[in-house]
């Protein structure tokens, strides 16, 4: 696998940005692991960080490269500051950046597949809500969503925690009416069902001691109430809290959930 640290200019944000990318590389002589590729265009996981972190955190705190290697899976990890993956009322257009510009730029720079069935989006905490928002607002772009330690929206919990949390919510959303926008994941899920749009499969997992458990339960109850389970919604609640021990384990659960077959003969 190749680990690439890339800086480039974002037209959406009007500034230089940073992103880390793991790319599949066929390798048989590397001590301790092997890797392979699925084809000319790599299936891709768009992997989102939480509020206190940045684009480096997933490879610093988990073995995501080792987990992706036998699958021939590319992993793209952008940095979005404290944006909530939103087009901020007082800040940058981070939703447009991650949902639209980032895939265009990464596919220009690297051989990444643009097929829906080859694209997956996941994240933790702020990134867990972010991947639900982006995935459900763009169902034609992603085959699966992996939400860890979050609800489809964390707005209420964030606003209730501290004065700083309240100020951040104002910076992100202002007084904008969010109903019917990308910031309305439940409304977008209903739209997918009502209009017969492609429904991304959803894996959702939260620790039993997580401070966002109430938000996770509201999301669980919403999806479990949809007749026929069109999203193949799967919920796991295991012992654990808002920690990297939990996320390192459960990102592996998500990779099994997406059902990507390992490259023949490659095992780690």
């Amino acid at each position: 696998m190749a680990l690439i640290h890339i800086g480039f200019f974002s037209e959406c944000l009007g500034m230089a940005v940073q992103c880390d990318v793991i790319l599949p590389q066929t390798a048989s002589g590397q001590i301790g692991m092997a890797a392979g590729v699925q084809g000319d265009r790599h299936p891709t996981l768009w992997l989102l960080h939480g509020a206190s972190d940045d684009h480096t955190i997933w490879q610093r705190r988990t073995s995501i490269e080792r987990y992706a290697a036998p699958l021939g899976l590319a992993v793209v990890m952008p940095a979005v500051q404290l944006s909530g993956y939103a087009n901020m009322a007082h800040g940058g257009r981070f939703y447009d950046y991650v949902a639209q510009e980032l895939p265009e730029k990464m596919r220009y720079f690297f051989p990444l597949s643009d097929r829906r069935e080859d694209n997956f989006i996941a994240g933790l905490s702020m990134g867990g809500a972010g991947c639900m928002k982006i995935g459900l607002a763009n169902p034609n772009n992603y085959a699966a969503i992996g939400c860890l330690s979050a609800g489809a929206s964390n707005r209420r919990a964030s606003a209730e925690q501290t004065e700083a949390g309240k100020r951040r919510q104002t910076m992100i959303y202002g007084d904008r009416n969010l109903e019917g926008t990308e910031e309305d994941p439940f409304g977008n899920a209903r739209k997918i069902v009502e209009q017969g749009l492609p429904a991304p499969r959803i894996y959702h997992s939260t620790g039993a001691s997580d401070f966002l458990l109430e938000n996770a339960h509201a999301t669980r109850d919403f999806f479990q109430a949809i007749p026929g389970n069109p999203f193949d919604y799967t919920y796991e609640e295991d012992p654990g809290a808002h920690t990297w021990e939990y996320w390192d384990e459960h990102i592996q659960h998500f990779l099994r959930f997406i059902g990507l077959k390992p490259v023949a003969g490659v095992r780690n």
Side-chain angles (χ1 to χ4, degrees), residues 58 62 124 148-149 242-251:
W58 274 101
T62 77
L124 64 92
L148 305 181
S149 298
H242 213 72
T243 66
W244 281 102
E245 289 84 357
Y246 194 89
W247 302 324
D248 184 51
E249 177 182 353
H250 288 80
I251 194 63

Side-chain angles (χ1 to χ4, degrees), residues 154-166 168 211-212:
N154 295 337
R155 285 191 295 271
R156 185 178 68 179
S158 298
E160 289 176 353
Q161 281 183 67
T162 62
E163 286 301 316
K166 293 177 182 178
R168 185 157 69 91
F211 73 90
L212 288 174

Side-chain angles (χ1 to χ4, degrees), residues 219-231:
T219 299
R220 175 201 63 190
D221 294 346
F222 172 83
F223 281 101
Q224 288 183 347
I226 300 176
N229 194 13
F231 294 91

